[in-house]
Amino acid sequence: MKTGTSRPSTALETAGLGHRYRQTWALRDCALHIPAGRVAALVGPNGAGKSTLLHIVVGLLTPTTGNVDVLGEPVGQQAAALSRVAFMAQDKPLYEGFTVADILRFGRHLNPQWDNGLAENRLNALGIALKSKVGKLSGGQQAQVALTAAIAKRPHLIVLDEPLANLDPLARNEVMRSLMTEVAETEITVLLSSHVVSDLEDTCDWLILLNGGRVQLCGDIEELLSSHRMISGPVELADRLLEEVQVIDQSRTARQLTCVARIQTSEPVLHPDWSISAVNLEQLVLAYLRRPNVGVLPHPNLASA
Amino acid sequence: MLWVTWRQHRTPVLLTAGLLLVLGTILLVHGLLTADFIRDRASAGCPGTGPDCLAFEQEVRLRYQQIYQLIGWLPVAPALIGAFWGAPLLAKEFEHGTHKFAWTQSVPRRRWLTVKFGLLGLTTVLSGLALGGMTTAWLSTFRGTGLGDAFGDKGLFAVAGVVPGAWWLFSFALGVAAGATIRRTLPAMAVTLAVFAVSLFGVFAARPFYAAPQRAVQVSAEVSPLPADAILMKDVWLTTSGQEVSRATMVNAIADACRAVSASVKYYQCAFEEGYTQVVYFHPSTKFWQFQWTETGILVLISLVLGVLAFVSALRRRI
Amino acid sequence: MMVVVIDFHLARASGVPTYQQIVNQVKHSLRLGVLKPGDRLPTAKEVVSRLAINPNTVLKAYRELERDGLVEARPGLGTFVRRSLGSGSVTDKANLSRDLTEWVHAARKAGLDWEDVEALITSVVTNSMRKEVG
């Protein structure tokens, strides 16, 4: 279902977002955005505040500071705001005593834009019988039922907290396939969290790196990858290198320096002794996670990407 | 929301309705048979002083006891409502994380809570009232036999009239509040049961203070000043000089004079002859409805406070 | 419903970006004649429902192919092959293929393994092509 109406280009935007549990800030001063139609990965170590951020975005938590807009409208506990965002929580909680049909009926009763035909077709295609009890389904099937319920709500933004955790490789692939099919069909914006970066490489095109409750990176994955390089070479030349590029993370031996660096031009001209190669998403993420104090402010021009 | 509430809570609701139906049937059949029995004997002048009336009274008492053993337990029945309807309402959602599923549909949490509390609360009130209605109806078959008075009996008072509706609501609200704050089903159930038990005995102890008691003075040694089916608050003894003293003081004072008397009837006669008259402070059974509404009011008020506590707790607590 | 004539597959650990792999596979199929002008490429939805990749990746690959003039997007219908790739007639290609097969047999007899053969071909191709261009 392609909508002809023009939408604001930013699906999700937060400003000055913070959340405090008693004395501890789980999330602090978060400014991030996701352009509409993107599949955004929220990455960070355990305890980085990923779930807190997602719970605020879906309206389950009220932030201590700052605000969240989905398509230009604030999120929160109003029916209209809730209907714009769908959520699949970690561990995909569903009522285990319900049948799959009950879950669909639950969704139909609680969501004005519920698309029951879509839900039934999806489950039918996945071979999940409406009569089966949710508690008797496999983990992968439960994830598919939960995903179906989220998609049938017809949201603009779908938020998934660790959607692939506790799933076997086949189920991971199937869940991702059906999610990507949905993205191709409806131009929905996706925000999913994961601490396994390799799961995200082919599916996500936007990266939000959260570390210690703060946003370390937020931007288009391709642009991030093209603006970083893996550089290695003789350690004596290290000082000169540091003048020319912004080193994110480095490791040194007696003779060699290896680092992930942020570069300004697409092909930096460095001393010929340096060997320069591209970084992949995992290397990039690891480099930043190891250096929590290195942050790159989001480029304003990336918003229109 | 209506269907959602029904689907999620139909098991305990149906179970309760079933049990009430069974109890109602037993009370109805038993009540009808007893009414027939009493009507048959009424022509023979019983209850009264007729020759067969002793056997009649024994039979009626026996029939009464059969059911009394059953409904004597009913004052604690609301505890089960608190434990099985109230406590899991939120605790089970928190425990399984399903609140994250329920509260991210397009129905705001405030509305979700209001509808659930409202519908289930109303159902518990109606169930309690149904119980009160059928107990009252059954008790009324014993009218005139000296049995079935629900005012002086602490337990019967809580299952007759309108008070059961309030008790059921109170227990439900207690369970919901426990579930909302403790967030785990089994501990919430345990706390509900414990607090309910304390509350039950607390209310039993507080009941005599719902109104200012009446005072009655003994006129003869043979007749107790306390009317039938009254709630006794305290009994004291009046000396000849018009001073109220405790039983112990009276016993000490007449220790010498009445030492030879052992039977209690004779003992009181002796005390009366010594110039001590018994005084009772009590509530007569005519205050039944006043007490019913007072207790109902107190319990409904506490239930509302608990409901608000559960509501706020469910809205505010971290996810 | 049109028949899907090409199926993409991914080599995850190859280091080649996913969109580039799709571009390469389309070009490869064009060279081998598996894809012919007028054929419809699978839609982004069809591709991602099999490969679990971001649909924007597929669209990006198709845009690149369009820029090269190999395919054209017809709104509402899909993306279609415009022209074939590769030069030379079919008979010429068949002859060359036969000659090369004989050469590979000879190389195997001389004791060369897969990597030796590959290295030799690459170096010969690189040198002779460079000479031609230069």
Side-chain angles (χ1 to χ4, degrees):
Chain A
M1 189 187 78
K2 303 238 176 196
T3 49
T5 54
S6 68
R7 284 185 192 161
S9 61
T10 306
L12 175 74
E13 186 156 28
T14 76
L17 195 66
H19 194 267
R20 192 177 55 198
Y21 292 120
R22 298 202 172 85
Q23 298 304 312
T24 337
W25 287 91
L27 207 62
R28 196 145 202 193
D29 206 22
C30 285
L32 56 87
H33 67 281
I34 306 172
R38 293 304 194 111
V39 181
L42 177 62
V43 177
N46 290 329
K50 299 196 294 288
S51 288
T52 304
L53 175 63
L54 296 185
H55 286 156
I56 291 173
V57 169
V58 300
L60 278 174
L61 275 180
T62 311
T64 315
T65 62
N67 50 282
V68 183
D69 288 348
V70 169
L71 293 160
E73 305 272 345
V75 301
Q77 283 290 325
Q78 296 83 37
L82 286 167
S83 69
R84 280 196 296 272
V85 186
F87 183 46
M88 188 166 94
Q90 205 167 351
D91 303 327
K92 299 107 198 158
L94 291 171
Y95 297 108
E96 300 211 329
F98 276 30
T99 62
V100 175
D102 285 337
I103 295 283
L104 297 194
R105 208 165 163 195
F106 186 90
R108 202 168 74 223
H109 278 276
L110 298 182
N111 297 287
Q113 273 123 40
W114 182 262
D115 190 338
N116 212 52
L118 172 89
E120 284 179 1
N121 287 342
R122 263 184 63 90
L123 292 170
N124 196 27
L126 291 161
I128 298 173
L130 293 179
K131 281 179 300 195
S132 359
K133 269 244 157 57
V134 170
K136 298 241 165 70
L137 296 175
S138 71
Q141 287 176 319
Q142 289 191 17
Q144 289 288 11
V145 173
L147 187 60
T148 301
I151 287 169
K153 193 181 168 183
R154 287 262 165 248
H156 297 306
L157 172 69
I158 185 166
V159 178
L160 313 160
D161 196 356
E162 296 279 356
L164 302 178
N166 306 324
L167 293 182
D168 61 65
L170 185 65
R172 292 159 102 88
N173 183 264
E174 278 177 352
V175 165
M176 267 312 188
R177 269 175 19 200
S178 52
L179 183 63
M180 288 304 126
T181 309
E182 211 47 45
V183 173
E185 257 189 344
T186 63
E187 300 172 326
I188 199 173
T189 308
V190 179
L191 170 58
L192 61 91
S193 73
S194 177
H195 56 266
V196 185
V197 179
S198 56
D199 283 342
L200 311 172
E201 196 129 32
D202 289 324
T203 49
C204 296
D205 51 17
W206 192 264
L207 176 73
I208 298 163
L209 192 62
L210 204 61
N211 203 357
R214 288 168 192 270
V215 176
Q216 219 182 341
L217 276 180
C218 173
D220 179 86
I221 290 180
E222 215 171 280
E223 290 188 30
L224 286 170
L225 291 180
S226 66
S227 62
H228 289 80
R229 289 288 184 280
M230 181 76 85
I231 304 175
S232 68
V235 77
E236 312 89 76
L237 296 174
D239 292 344
R240 268 188 57 198
L241 180 74
L242 290 173
E243 285 167 18
E244 287 167 73
V245 295
Q246 183 195 358
V247 171
I248 308 302
D249 177 45
Q250 52 172 303
S251 65
R252 293 180 189 222
T253 63
R255 299 208 181 135
Q256 203 190 25
L257 170 83
T258 305
C259 69
V260 170
R262 187 177 168 85
I263 53 171
Q264 299 303 326
T265 52
S266 58
E267 288 312 325
V269 186
L270 297 174
H271 192 282
D273 283 356
W274 291 110
S275 89
I276 306 172
S277 60
V279 290
N280 63 27
L281 186 60
E282 193 153 8
Q283 289 165 331
L284 178 78
V285 166
L286 280 176
Y288 275 91
L289 289 185
R290 273 199 287 263
R291 300 281 183 256
N293 295 325
V294 183
V296 178
L297 291 174
H299 283 229
N301 61 338
L302 294 187
S304 57
Chain B
M1 268 317 287
L2 199 69
W3 177 83
V4 169
T5 310
W6 165 246
R7 177 61 190 85
Q8 284 192 275
H9 305 282
R10 62 186 185 191
T11 312
V13 170
L14 285 174
L15 198 67
T16 310
L19 288 173
L20 279 176
L21 198 66
V22 170
L23 183 72
T25 311
I26 293 173
L27 290 180
L28 183 69
V29 171
H30 190 273
L32 287 175
L33 291 175
T34 307
D36 273 354
F37 174 78
I38 293 175
R39 203 180 310 116
D40 284 352
R41 295 303 177 98
S43 50
C46 295
T49 51
D52 295 335
C53 284
L54 196 63
F56 165 81
E57 275 170 28
Q58 274 174 349
E59 172 65 20
V60 170
R61 186 168 296 277
L62 190 71
R63 284 167 179 263
Y64 182 73
Q65 286 297 336
Q66 286 170 344
I67 295 297
Y68 185 81
Q69 282 171 0
L70 183 67
I71 60 176
W73 288 102
L74 290 180
V76 298
L80 301 179
I81 296 298
F84 291 100
W85 289 37
L89 179 66
L90 288 168
K92 205 173 157 200
E93 302 265 2
F94 289 135
E95 211 164 54
H96 291 89
T98 44
H99 63 296
K100 292 183 190 172
F101 176 60
W103 294 347
T104 49
Q105 307 302 314
S106 306
V107 171
R109 205 186 308 182
R110 205 170 275 277
R111 171 137 181 271
W112 192 94
L113 292 169
T114 311
V115 172
K116 280 213 171 186
F117 288 9
L119 282 178
L120 291 171
L122 187 68
T123 313
T124 52
V125 170
L126 292 177
S127 309
L129 288 177
L131 174 73
M134 56 210 205
T135 319
T136 309
W138 177 79
L139 286 170
S140 71
T141 52
F142 291 90
R143 194 174 293 141
T145 63
L147 294 169
D149 294 319
F151 188 58
D153 187 310
K154 287 188 172 78
L156 279 188
F157 184 82
V159 291
V162 293
V163 142
W167 272 110
W168 284 45
L169 179 67
F170 163 72
S171 183
F172 171 70
L174 178 65
V176 173
T181 46
I182 298 169
R183 299 163 77 90
R184 288 182 52 228
T185 310
L186 277 178
M189 287 167 92
V191 166
T192 304
L193 291 174
V195 175
F196 181 84
V198 171
S199 311
L200 190 66
F201 290 110
V203 168
F204 282 180
R207 201 176 280 157
F209 300 98
Y210 289 170
Q214 290 185 17
R215 184 176 185 267
V217 181
Q218 196 177 25
V219 288
S220 76
E222 291 81 22
V223 183
S224 163
L226 188 69
D229 193 30
I231 297 176
L232 175 68
M233 258 192 104
K234 66 170 180 178
D235 66 332
V236 291
W237 296 78
L238 206 60
T239 62
T240 39
S241 60
Q243 196 189 349
E244 280 185 6
V245 296
S246 71
R247 171 180 292 263
T249 316
M250 180 273 288
V251 169
N252 271 334
I254 61 169
D256 289 337
C258 302
R259 180 173 298 152
V261 185
S262 55
S264 69
V265 179
K266 291 245 177 86
Y267 185 84
Y268 285 122
Q269 228 156 15
C270 175
F272 195 71
E273 280 156 15
E274 289 296 312
Y276 286 92
T277 42
Q278 195 181 8
V279 179
V280 289
Y281 290 86
F282 70 101
H283 300 288
S285 61
T286 51
K287 286 191 181 168
F288 179 78
W289 286 107
Q290 185 195 334
F291 273 47
Q292 280 270 323
W293 287 114
T294 307
E295 192 157 309
T296 302
I298 292 169
L299 290 172
V300 167
L301 201 68
I302 299 174
S303 307
L304 290 178
V305 171
L306 287 169
V308 170
L309 177 77
F311 197 87
V312 170
S313 171
L315 282 181
R316 286 238 186 109
R317 285 288 291 267
R318 59 180 284 186
I319 291 301
Chain C
M1 192 74 201
M2 279 181 139
V3 183
V4 178
V5 288
I6 181 172
D7 221 5
F8 299 118
H9 52 89
L10 295 181
R12 306 259 172 194
S14 65
V16 181
T18 307
Y19 84 93
Q20 194 63 53
Q21 292 191 39
I22 294 176
V23 168
N24 292 348
Q25 282 171 39
V26 171
K27 285 183 176 171
H28 191 72
S29 300
L30 287 171
R31 283 202 178 84
L32 293 180
V34 175
L35 275 177
K36 295 186 189 78
D39 282 345
R40 185 179 69 95
L41 293 180
T43 62
K45 189 193 158 194
E46 283 162 352
V47 176
V48 302
S49 69
R50 282 191 18 81
L51 289 184
I53 59 170
N54 191 310
N56 294 330
T57 309
V58 183
L59 297 177
K60 186 178 176 189
Y62 286 8
R63 271 202 305 276
E64 177 136 335
L65 288 165
E66 202 174 357
R67 205 162 51 229
D68 291 350
L70 294 175
V71 302
E72 63 178 340
R74 293 181 205 155
L77 292 172
T79 306
F80 292 84
V81 176
R82 267 185 68 193
R83 64 178 180 83
S84 193
L85 256 186
S87 29
S89 73
V90 179
T91 30
D92 283 349
K93 276 186 186 168
N95 288 337
L96 287 165
S97 168
R98 200 184 50 237
D99 291 352
L100 192 57
T101 312
E102 276 171 24
W103 182 85
V104 170
H105 279 304
R108 295 287 294 150
K109 262 189 201 148
L112 274 67
D113 66 11
W114 183 295
E115 286 178 2
D116 296 331
V117 168
E118 216 172 51
L120 205 54
I121 290 179
T122 310
S123 106
V124 169
V125 169
T126 315
N127 282 332
S128 50
M129 293 278 186
R130 195 175 283 165
K131 267 180 216 153
E132 274 177 36
V133 174

PDB file of all heavy atoms in Angstrom, chain B residues 182-200:
ATOM      1  N   ILE B 182       3.287  -4.631  43.822  1.00  0.00           N
ATOM      2  CA  ILE B 182       4.277  -5.704  43.988  1.00  0.00           C
ATOM      3  C   ILE B 182       4.726  -6.257  42.643  1.00  0.00           C
ATOM      4  O   ILE B 182       5.847  -6.690  42.473  1.00  0.00           O
ATOM      5  CB  ILE B 182       3.695  -6.824  44.887  1.00  0.00           C
ATOM      6  CG1 ILE B 182       3.388  -6.251  46.263  1.00  0.00           C
ATOM      7  CG2 ILE B 182       4.659  -7.992  45.003  1.00  0.00           C
ATOM      8  CD1 ILE B 182       2.578  -7.149  47.141  1.00  0.00           C
ATOM      9  N   ARG B 183       3.826  -6.250  41.666  1.00  0.00           N
ATOM     10  CA  ARG B 183       4.125  -6.619  40.286  1.00  0.00           C
ATOM     11  C   ARG B 183       4.485  -8.079  40.084  1.00  0.00           C
ATOM     12  O   ARG B 183       5.027  -8.432  39.039  1.00  0.00           O
ATOM     13  CB  ARG B 183       5.236  -5.736  39.725  1.00  0.00           C
ATOM     14  CG  ARG B 183       4.873  -4.268  39.694  1.00  0.00           C
ATOM     15  CD  ARG B 183       6.078  -3.402  39.532  1.00  0.00           C
ATOM     16  NE  ARG B 183       6.553  -3.403  38.158  1.00  0.00           N
ATOM     17  CZ  ARG B 183       6.156  -2.560  37.238  1.00  0.00           C
ATOM     18  NH1 ARG B 183       5.259  -1.652  37.525  1.00  0.00           N
ATOM     19  NH2 ARG B 183       6.620  -2.603  36.037  1.00  0.00           N
ATOM     20  N   ARG B 184       4.261  -8.906  41.095  1.00  0.00           N
ATOM     21  CA  ARG B 184       4.457 -10.335  40.878  1.00  0.00           C
ATOM     22  C   ARG B 184       3.244 -11.047  41.451  1.00  0.00           C
ATOM     23  O   ARG B 184       2.787 -10.733  42.555  1.00  0.00           O
ATOM     24  CB  ARG B 184       5.756 -10.802  41.516  1.00  0.00           C
ATOM     25  CG  ARG B 184       6.958 -10.276  40.725  1.00  0.00           C
ATOM     26  CD  ARG B 184       8.280 -10.727  41.260  1.00  0.00           C
ATOM     27  NE  ARG B 184       8.334 -12.171  41.431  1.00  0.00           N
ATOM     28  CZ  ARG B 184       8.780 -12.747  42.545  1.00  0.00           C
ATOM     29  NH1 ARG B 184       9.186 -12.009  43.546  1.00  0.00           N
ATOM     30  NH2 ARG B 184       8.806 -14.044  42.641  1.00  0.00           N
ATOM     31  N   THR B 185       2.739 -12.040  40.709  1.00  0.00           N
ATOM     32  CA  THR B 185       1.427 -12.591  41.017  1.00  0.00           C
ATOM     33  C   THR B 185       1.367 -13.280  42.381  1.00  0.00           C
ATOM     34  O   THR B 185       0.531 -12.929  43.210  1.00  0.00           O
ATOM     35  CB  THR B 185       0.987 -13.581  39.917  1.00  0.00           C
ATOM     36  OG1 THR B 185       1.157 -12.929  38.663  1.00  0.00           O
ATOM     37  CG2 THR B 185      -0.458 -13.965  40.088  1.00  0.00           C
ATOM     38  N   LEU B 186       2.260 -14.220  42.602  1.00  0.00           N
ATOM     39  CA  LEU B 186       2.140 -15.007  43.839  1.00  0.00           C
ATOM     40  C   LEU B 186       2.319 -14.168  45.105  1.00  0.00           C
ATOM     41  O   LEU B 186       1.482 -14.236  46.014  1.00  0.00           O
ATOM     42  CB  LEU B 186       3.119 -16.185  43.814  1.00  0.00           C
ATOM     43  CG  LEU B 186       2.585 -17.403  43.046  1.00  0.00           C
ATOM     44  CD1 LEU B 186       3.622 -18.507  43.010  1.00  0.00           C
ATOM     45  CD2 LEU B 186       1.282 -17.923  43.667  1.00  0.00           C
ATOM     46  N   PRO B 187       3.372 -13.341  45.181  1.00  0.00           N
ATOM     47  CA  PRO B 187       3.482 -12.480  46.369  1.00  0.00           C
ATOM     48  C   PRO B 187       2.272 -11.555  46.526  1.00  0.00           C
ATOM     49  O   PRO B 187       1.808 -11.324  47.649  1.00  0.00           O
ATOM     50  CB  PRO B 187       4.752 -11.667  46.099  1.00  0.00           C
ATOM     51  CG  PRO B 187       5.537 -12.475  45.130  1.00  0.00           C
ATOM     52  CD  PRO B 187       4.543 -13.210  44.296  1.00  0.00           C
ATOM     53  N   ALA B 188       1.763 -11.044  45.399  1.00  0.00           N
ATOM     54  CA  ALA B 188       0.599 -10.158  45.477  1.00  0.00           C
ATOM     55  C   ALA B 188      -0.614 -10.905  46.031  1.00  0.00           C
ATOM     56  O   ALA B 188      -1.382 -10.370  46.839  1.00  0.00           O
ATOM     57  CB  ALA B 188       0.283  -9.579  44.094  1.00  0.00           C
ATOM     58  N   MET B 189      -0.768 -12.162  45.617  1.00  0.00           N
ATOM     59  CA  MET B 189      -1.883 -12.966  46.129  1.00  0.00           C
ATOM     60  C   MET B 189      -1.728 -13.181  47.632  1.00  0.00           C
ATOM     61  O   MET B 189      -2.691 -13.054  48.397  1.00  0.00           O
ATOM     62  CB  MET B 189      -1.935 -14.324  45.405  1.00  0.00           C
ATOM     63  CG  MET B 189      -2.442 -14.239  43.971  1.00  0.00           C
ATOM     64  SD  MET B 189      -2.146 -15.764  43.051  1.00  0.00           S
ATOM     65  CE  MET B 189      -3.674 -16.608  43.356  1.00  0.00           C
ATOM     66  N   ALA B 190      -0.517 -13.505  48.056  1.00  0.00           N
ATOM     67  CA  ALA B 190      -0.269 -13.774  49.472  1.00  0.00           C
ATOM     68  C   ALA B 190      -0.554 -12.529  50.315  1.00  0.00           C
ATOM     69  O   ALA B 190      -1.223 -12.592  51.345  1.00  0.00           O
ATOM     70  CB  ALA B 190       1.188 -14.221  49.664  1.00  0.00           C
ATOM     71  N   VAL B 191      -0.062 -11.383  49.825  1.00  0.00           N
ATOM     72  CA  VAL B 191      -0.292 -10.135  50.560  1.00  0.00           C
ATOM     73  C   VAL B 191      -1.788  -9.837  50.624  1.00  0.00           C
ATOM     74  O   VAL B 191      -2.324  -9.432  51.672  1.00  0.00           O
ATOM     75  CB  VAL B 191       0.487  -8.970  49.886  1.00  0.00           C
ATOM     76  CG1 VAL B 191       0.012  -7.629  50.408  1.00  0.00           C
ATOM     77  CG2 VAL B 191       1.976  -9.138  50.117  1.00  0.00           C
ATOM     78  N   THR B 192      -2.478 -10.073  49.517  1.00  0.00           N
ATOM     79  CA  THR B 192      -3.922  -9.838  49.486  1.00  0.00           C
ATOM     80  C   THR B 192      -4.629 -10.665  50.554  1.00  0.00           C
ATOM     81  O   THR B 192      -5.453 -10.150  51.322  1.00  0.00           O
ATOM     82  CB  THR B 192      -4.477 -10.195  48.092  1.00  0.00           C
ATOM     83  OG1 THR B 192      -3.774  -9.446  47.113  1.00  0.00           O
ATOM     84  CG2 THR B 192      -5.960  -9.872  48.003  1.00  0.00           C
ATOM     85  N   LEU B 193      -4.284 -11.951  50.606  1.00  0.00           N
ATOM     86  CA  LEU B 193      -4.928 -12.836  51.581  1.00  0.00           C
ATOM     87  C   LEU B 193      -4.641 -12.370  53.005  1.00  0.00           C
ATOM     88  O   LEU B 193      -5.543 -12.305  53.848  1.00  0.00           O
ATOM     89  CB  LEU B 193      -4.447 -14.276  51.388  1.00  0.00           C
ATOM     90  CG  LEU B 193      -4.914 -14.956  50.091  1.00  0.00           C
ATOM     91  CD1 LEU B 193      -4.265 -16.321  49.942  1.00  0.00           C
ATOM     92  CD2 LEU B 193      -6.435 -15.092  50.074  1.00  0.00           C
ATOM     93  N   ALA B 194      -3.391 -12.021  53.263  1.00  0.00           N
ATOM     94  CA  ALA B 194      -3.004 -11.623  54.615  1.00  0.00           C
ATOM     95  C   ALA B 194      -3.705 -10.330  55.027  1.00  0.00           C
ATOM     96  O   ALA B 194      -4.303 -10.234  56.108  1.00  0.00           O
ATOM     97  CB  ALA B 194      -1.486 -11.444  54.686  1.00  0.00           C
ATOM     98  N   VAL B 195      -3.653  -9.327  54.148  1.00  0.00           N
ATOM     99  CA  VAL B 195      -4.261  -8.049  54.482  1.00  0.00           C
ATOM    100  C   VAL B 195      -5.779  -8.209  54.617  1.00  0.00           C
ATOM    101  O   VAL B 195      -6.402  -7.606  55.496  1.00  0.00           O
ATOM    102  CB  VAL B 195      -3.918  -6.968  53.421  1.00  0.00           C
ATOM    103  CG1 VAL B 195      -4.658  -5.678  53.710  1.00  0.00           C
ATOM    104  CG2 VAL B 195      -2.427  -6.730  53.396  1.00  0.00           C
ATOM    105  N   PHE B 196      -6.369  -9.070  53.775  1.00  0.00           N
ATOM    106  CA  PHE B 196      -7.806  -9.274  53.875  1.00  0.00           C
ATOM    107  C   PHE B 196      -8.177  -9.866  55.241  1.00  0.00           C
ATOM    108  O   PHE B 196      -9.129  -9.427  55.883  1.00  0.00           O
ATOM    109  CB  PHE B 196      -8.314 -10.190  52.759  1.00  0.00           C
ATOM    110  CG  PHE B 196      -9.791 -10.399  52.829  1.00  0.00           C
ATOM    111  CD1 PHE B 196     -10.660  -9.477  52.270  1.00  0.00           C
ATOM    112  CD2 PHE B 196     -10.332 -11.496  53.501  1.00  0.00           C
ATOM    113  CE1 PHE B 196     -12.034  -9.631  52.360  1.00  0.00           C
ATOM    114  CE2 PHE B 196     -11.698 -11.660  53.596  1.00  0.00           C
ATOM    115  CZ  PHE B 196     -12.554 -10.730  53.030  1.00  0.00           C
ATOM    116  N   ALA B 197      -7.402 -10.852  55.680  1.00  0.00           N
ATOM    117  CA  ALA B 197      -7.694 -11.493  56.966  1.00  0.00           C
ATOM    118  C   ALA B 197      -7.626 -10.460  58.101  1.00  0.00           C
ATOM    119  O   ALA B 197      -8.520 -10.390  58.952  1.00  0.00           O
ATOM    120  CB  ALA B 197      -6.686 -12.622  57.214  1.00  0.00           C
ATOM    121  N   VAL B 198      -6.571  -9.641  58.075  1.00  0.00           N
ATOM    122  CA  VAL B 198      -6.428  -8.608  59.100  1.00  0.00           C
ATOM    123  C   VAL B 198      -7.618  -7.643  59.050  1.00  0.00           C
ATOM    124  O   VAL B 198      -8.213  -7.289  60.072  1.00  0.00           O
ATOM    125  CB  VAL B 198      -5.093  -7.850  58.914  1.00  0.00           C
ATOM    126  CG1 VAL B 198      -5.023  -6.637  59.830  1.00  0.00           C
ATOM    127  CG2 VAL B 198      -3.921  -8.788  59.167  1.00  0.00           C
ATOM    128  N   SER B 199      -7.979  -7.239  57.812  1.00  0.00           N
ATOM    129  CA  SER B 199      -9.085  -6.293  57.653  1.00  0.00           C
ATOM    130  C   SER B 199     -10.392  -6.875  58.180  1.00  0.00           C
ATOM    131  O   SER B 199     -11.190  -6.182  58.814  1.00  0.00           O
ATOM    132  CB  SER B 199      -9.282  -5.935  56.178  1.00  0.00           C
ATOM    133  OG  SER B 199      -8.068  -5.585  55.599  1.00  0.00           O
ATOM    134  N   LEU B 200     -10.615  -8.174  57.888  1.00  0.00           N
ATOM    135  CA  LEU B 200     -11.866  -8.803  58.309  1.00  0.00           C
ATOM    136  C   LEU B 200     -12.008  -8.733  59.834  1.00  0.00           C
ATOM    137  O   LEU B 200     -13.031  -8.289  60.356  1.00  0.00           O
ATOM    138  CB  LEU B 200     -11.887 -10.255  57.828  1.00  0.00           C
ATOM    139  CG  LEU B 200     -13.220 -10.996  57.974  1.00  0.00           C
ATOM    140  CD1 LEU B 200     -14.267 -10.362  57.060  1.00  0.00           C
ATOM    141  CD2 LEU B 200     -13.062 -12.465  57.620  1.00  0.00           C
TER     142      LEU B 200
END
